Amino acid sequence: MADRHLEPDSPELRARWGNFAWTAENEAKAKEVVARYPAGRQRSAVMPLLDLAQRQVGAETNTQGWLPIPVMEYVAAYLDMPIIRVVEVASFYTMYNLVPVGRFHVQVCGTTPCMLRGSDAIMAACKSRGMHKGHTTDDGLWTLTEVECMGNCASAPMVQINDDNYEDLTPERLDVVLDALAAGKTPKAGTQEPGRHTVEPSGGPTTLQEMVKANHDYRKEW
């Protein structure tokens, strides 16, 4: 599992992130997010604002992004809530990175369905490329984390890399995805099984076959 410790507070951290503030674009997004909640319930916006802050940090560092303590303090002040409440949220949900990560955060599912379908081989393929669980490679490109179930059991094994899932993986298919990312390309997300659409049976759907290529209204047939 991911190590959920906070990056230690330090003068260097304060010097880099102590003056964090929304960009003009993100300021507009933040106001839009807060406006979704009733008066007096603005603190409910903490999760989307933490995500926004992490993405801003990522844009500034050319990584997936993370949440330094000063950045979480900024979000806390923005929502007029105690910093400890913000830290509680950020440290509970693994979608938030508490320490610096690389350009691509490779999260390998190691839960039972993925394990039975070969996640150990997927982890070994990552290690063969110089990745080590809980660490970022020296070139700053990859951070490797093992995570619990991410809901793609029917298309296991899978990894999540930044915002995309890659499913039905083999070590060879994972190498294709990682090579594309390293080259600045955008590999196909989702299942990597040729001919498979989403998570229908690998041999093709046995029911609702008219839904494969387009929505189909079955009600008149019932």
Side-chain angles (χ1 to χ4, degrees):
M1 281 297 294
D3 189 345
R4 300 302 293 163
H5 73 275
L6 294 173
E7 182 75 1
D9 202 353
S10 67
E12 293 76 17
L13 194 73
R14 293 280 166 183
R16 175 64 180 88
W17 297 109
N19 294 321
F20 178 88
W22 298 127
T23 62
E25 180 181 3
N26 285 342
E27 174 70 31
K29 290 180 180 178
K31 289 180 179 179
E32 178 184 344
V33 168
V34 172
R36 297 172 188 165
Y37 300 92
R41 299 287 183 179
Q42 287 80 8
R43 293 180 180 182
S44 298
V46 62
M47 290 188 67
L49 290 194
L50 283 174
D51 179 71
L52 184 63
Q54 179 166 278
R55 291 176 186 276
Q56 181 170 318
V57 170
E60 293 183 22
T61 58
N62 195 32
T63 68
Q64 192 202 23
W66 66 292
L67 293 171
I69 283 288
V71 173
M72 288 190 273
E73 290 174 343
Y74 178 84
V75 172
Y78 192 84
L79 294 174
D80 190 25
M81 60 190 298
I83 178 59
I84 186 58
R85 299 302 183 202
V86 175
V87 173
E88 286 172 345
V89 173
S91 59
F92 182 83
Y93 294 99
T94 56
M95 63 184 283
Y96 304 116
N97 300 316
L98 304 181
V99 296
V101 295
R103 176 71 183 89
F104 301 107
H105 188 186
V106 181
Q107 300 180 76
V108 180
C109 179
T111 312
T112 305
C114 279
M115 181 185 68
L116 293 174
R117 293 270 293 172
S119 65
D120 287 348
I122 299 304
M123 186 65 76
C126 292
K127 291 180 179 178
S128 71
R129 299 176 69 104
M131 301 183 212
H132 298 281
K133 190 163 61 176
H135 297 279
T136 299
T137 54
D138 292 340
D139 59 8
L141 198 60
W142 313 105
T143 297
L144 178 62
T145 303
E146 183 178 358
V147 297
E148 294 299 334
C149 183
M150 292 191 283
N152 291 94
C153 305
S155 50
M158 63 84 61
V159 303
Q160 179 177 327
I161 304 178
N162 293 5
D163 288 335
D164 289 317
N165 290 350
Y166 301 91
E167 307 151 30
D168 286 314
L169 290 172
T170 63
E172 295 75 20
R173 290 173 181 175
L174 177 63
D175 279 336
V176 171
V177 169
L178 297 179
D179 287 342
L181 291 171
K185 300 177 182 178
T186 303
K188 172 185 174 292
T191 178
Q192 304 299 302
E193 179 72 24
R196 197 176 192 190
H197 178 55
T198 51
V199 291
E200 76 281 1
S202 57
T206 57
T207 60
L208 306 180
Q209 295 179 357
E210 292 82 353
M211 295 288 285
V212 172
K213 296 182 178 180
N215 288 330
H216 180 77
D217 188 351
Y218 284 92
R219 289 175 294 182
K220 63 180 179 297
E221 302 174 26
W222 296 340

